Amino acid sequence: MTKNVAALSVPVFGAKGNVIGAISISGPVFRWHEESMEQHISLLLKTAESISNSLY
């Protein structure tokens, strides 16, 4: 863990449904707080889903 850094991450699934990786975004806590993170959750989830689906 790194001090003063916050992050979000989501899994990427392979063709068999196993977790094969992850996507994360991070930033310094003075800019990357709960409110700013919430704005990125949907895009992060959609991106991971798109990558996972492309592996089928």
Side-chain angles (χ1 to χ4, degrees):
M1 295 190 73
T2 304
K3 271 182 129 175
N4 300 317
V5 175
L8 293 171
S9 62
V10 294
V12 173
F13 296 95
K16 295 181 180 180
N18 298 326
V19 175
I20 60 165
I23 299 174
S24 67
I25 51 177
S26 62
V29 292
F30 68 89
R31 281 189 295 186
W32 195 237
H33 44 77
E34 186 175 347
E35 185 178 321
S36 62
M37 285 182 177
E38 286 179 2
Q39 298 173 15
H40 294 86
I41 292 171
S42 178
L43 179 59
L44 189 60
L45 289 168
K46 287 177 187 177
T47 301
E49 182 179 24
S50 176
I51 293 170
S52 295
N53 289 340
S54 73
L55 300 173
Y56 287 100

